[in-house]
Amino acid sequence: MFKRLIIAYFFLFLFISIYFAYTSITFTSEILDDLATKNAKRLVYIVLDQNKEINDQAILSLKRIVGGEIFIYSKAGDLLLSSIKKEAIPQALKKLTKEELETLKAGPIVKKITLNNQKYRFIIFEAKLTKNISAYFGILLPTTTEEQIKANLIFGLIYTSFAGLVFMLVVSWLLSRSITQPLEELAEETRQIGRGKWKKIPEKGPAEVKSLARALNQMSQEIKEYQQRLLEAERLSTTAQLAASIAHEIKNPLTSLKLASEILCEFAKDNPTLSKRAQMVLSETARLEKILQNMLAKTKKIQVVREVVDVNALVKEVTRMAENQFKARKQKFTVELAEQPIKISADPEKIKQVLWNILNNAWEATPEEGEIKVRTELTEKGAEIIVEDSGPGIPEDRAKDLFRPFYSTKPGGTGLGLAVSRQIVLFHGGELILENREEGGARVRVILPPLSESRD
């Protein structure tokens, strides 16, 4: 694009140069014609004042003074006298035409004629020989000066055009290197991203190109995150279907096993050993049934029923119920709520489910006599629920996998808690962020949009 623009500017520059040279030559020619005419008339009148009559000697004197050939015509246009011999006078100068005679009534005439391959300026004007007699004087002057000026202007045009071409080529090269090339590289990087090869675009080139690259990097990162969320949602949906199918297949034999265990316990009342084993089978069956119900609950399709709620009230309700759980392990549990109520449009049960999952993870990750802190804030992003613990933190190599369904770092964990929690937060138009604290431990941030945005 820039190369085409440079070429267009070059031709525009060339056109302006040619037009300027043409007008300069024309204007210079007109000025020289006017000066030559005035000078010729002045010299003729000087010679006429010095000579009482016009003869060959006066004509030769005028020729030396003017620097050109002299012709005197009658009012009818016939040639009377000349500084050139009659046989050498060109046919075009022997008599004035009717058109020339008509034009002379308005003023002097300046003609450009060529004689013997040489250009001349022929000036014709009226001058009084005496008080009562007038004639037309014709002065034939060589145009050497004018031709020299034209040659200089043409040379200047060629030189200027060549310099302009060189300048445009240099500018084009510089623009290509500083703008066009980075833009082409930017376009190629964008095409690579379009093919699924996610990578950061180098931010180089002029400020505008850097800004564009920065915006594209931000956009590609957001698209990548959105794509990752879609994959997680699809994976979770597939997991839910798979879990529902497995649960359906397991439910019937598990129910039969539970019923058989209950009957076995009833028959083994009198046999302590057998009764103990029957109770063990019943207990494990009940545990399997609970795991199955828990899995089905977590993989159930998320349905959000919104209402206006206070984030502080939700946090206070959940933390009050969880308080005894932390005291049992002698963990320091503190809650800091924002001074003002933080209203959002959300499903309170789903938000409490998210908070329960996060607190349960913090409880399991924090050692005895450790510290867990919950606080709420209203920031530029929206309402935030922040849970911090003094546990080992989040391994950097596993941080991306923690939201993957069935991925768990805990023995016996289902790997669905964080995956489902994130989906719930996303359904509310928010974010769930996991990060490590500088002083050690992990921090979980639940960011929910303010009331006006969440209603939209």
Side-chain angles (χ1 to χ4, degrees), residues 325-376:
Q325 181 179 342
F326 294 103
K327 286 182 179 179
R329 297 189 64 183
K330 299 180 181 180
Q331 294 168 333
K332 184 180 179 182
F333 184 58
T334 57
V335 180
E336 297 178 4
L337 302 178
E339 295 181 1
Q340 300 295 330
I342 304 175
K343 300 290 185 179
I344 62 171
S345 176
D347 187 327
E349 297 304 319
K350 293 293 188 294
I351 299 301
K352 285 192 282 187
Q353 180 183 344
V354 171
L355 189 54
W356 267 115
N357 285 333
I358 295 172
L359 288 175
N360 189 57
N361 287 339
W363 175 76
E364 291 178 347
T366 305
E368 289 189 6
E369 299 183 356
E371 183 179 2
I372 297 167
K373 182 186 291 186
V374 181
R375 69 177 189 271
T376 60

Side-chain angles (χ1 to χ4, degrees), residues 138-397:
I139 299 176
L140 188 67
L141 299 170
T143 58
T144 308
T145 303
E146 183 178 342
E147 294 301 320
Q148 184 63 39
I149 292 173
K150 287 182 180 179
N152 290 338
L153 284 173
I154 292 172
F155 175 77
L157 171 64
I158 295 172
Y159 177 79
T160 304
S161 300
F162 178 75
L165 176 61
V166 173
F167 173 75
M168 291 298 180
L169 289 174
V170 172
V171 170
S172 176
W173 180 78
L174 290 175
L175 285 175
S176 176
R177 186 172 180 180
S178 63
I179 297 178
T180 307
Q181 187 175 351
L183 281 176
E184 289 176 353
E185 292 177 358
L186 191 63
E188 179 59 29
E189 295 288 348
T190 307
R191 283 192 288 269
Q192 292 294 328
I193 291 175
R195 297 187 186 105
K197 298 179 180 179
W198 299 97
K199 60 179 180 178
K200 186 177 180 181
I201 299 174
E203 298 177 7
K204 61 181 182 179
E208 294 81 2
V209 179
K210 286 182 179 178
S211 178
L212 180 59
R214 196 176 301 114
L216 286 172
N217 280 328
Q218 183 178 356
M219 182 186 70
S220 63
Q221 181 63 30
E222 291 175 356
I223 292 174
K224 186 179 180 181
E225 290 177 359
Y226 181 71
Q227 187 183 45
Q228 185 64 31
R229 291 173 184 176
L230 287 178
L231 289 173
E232 290 173 2
E234 185 180 355
R235 192 180 294 135
L236 190 61
S237 176
T238 304
T239 302
Q241 293 175 8
L242 179 62
S245 177
I246 294 173
H248 178 73
E249 295 297 328
I250 295 177
K251 186 177 180 181
N252 290 334
L254 191 63
T255 303
S256 300
L257 181 61
K258 182 181 179 183
L259 181 60
S261 300
E262 290 175 350
I263 295 172
L264 183 61
C265 288
E266 187 67 27
F267 280 106
K269 284 181 180 180
D270 300 330
N271 190 334
T273 304
L274 184 59
S275 178
K276 184 177 180 181
R277 292 185 181 277
Q279 288 292 338
M280 186 183 298
V281 172
L282 182 62
S283 175
E284 290 300 312
T285 303
R287 189 174 70 83
L288 286 174
E289 188 177 30
K290 187 176 181 180
I291 291 173
L292 187 62
Q293 290 174 351
N294 186 38
M295 183 179 294
L296 283 173
K298 287 185 177 180
T299 57
K300 190 177 180 181
K301 185 178 179 181
I302 299 173
Q303 292 180 343
V304 176
V305 181
R306 293 178 182 272
E307 60 181 84
V308 178
V309 294
D310 181 14
V311 173
N312 288 342
L314 291 178
V315 172
K316 187 183 293 185
E317 181 182 348
V318 174
T319 53
R320 187 177 296 166
M321 288 187 291
E323 193 172 3
N324 293 329
Q325 181 179 342
F326 294 103
K327 286 182 179 179
R329 297 189 64 183
K330 299 180 181 180
Q331 294 168 333
K332 184 180 179 182
F333 184 58
T334 57
V335 180
E336 297 178 4
L337 302 178
E339 295 181 1
Q340 300 295 330
I342 304 175
K343 300 290 185 179
I344 62 171
S345 176
D347 187 327
E349 297 304 319
K350 293 293 188 294
I351 299 301
K352 285 192 282 187
Q353 180 183 344
V354 171
L355 189 54
W356 267 115
N357 285 333
I358 295 172
L359 288 175
N360 189 57
N361 287 339
W363 175 76
E364 291 178 347
T366 305
E368 289 189 6
E369 299 183 356
E371 183 179 2
I372 297 167
K373 182 186 291 186
V374 181
R375 69 177 189 271
T376 60
E377 294 179 359
L378 182 60
T379 64
E380 294 179 356
K381 292 184 176 182
E384 289 197 28
I385 304 172
I386 303 168
V387 179
E388 298 176 331
D389 63 56
S390 58
I394 304 167
E396 292 184 4
D397 57 336

Side-chain angles (χ1 to χ4, degrees), residues 86-100:
K86 288 185 178 181
E87 58 272 13
I89 297 174
Q91 189 66 32
L93 301 179
K94 287 182 178 181
K95 186 177 179 63
L96 298 178
T97 63
K98 290 181 180 182
E99 291 79 6
E100 290 172 341

Side-chain angles (χ1 to χ4, degrees), residues 33-44:
D33 288 345
D34 186 59
L35 290 174
T37 302
K38 289 179 179 180
N39 188 48
K41 290 175 72 175
R42 183 176 60 83
L43 293 175
V44 166

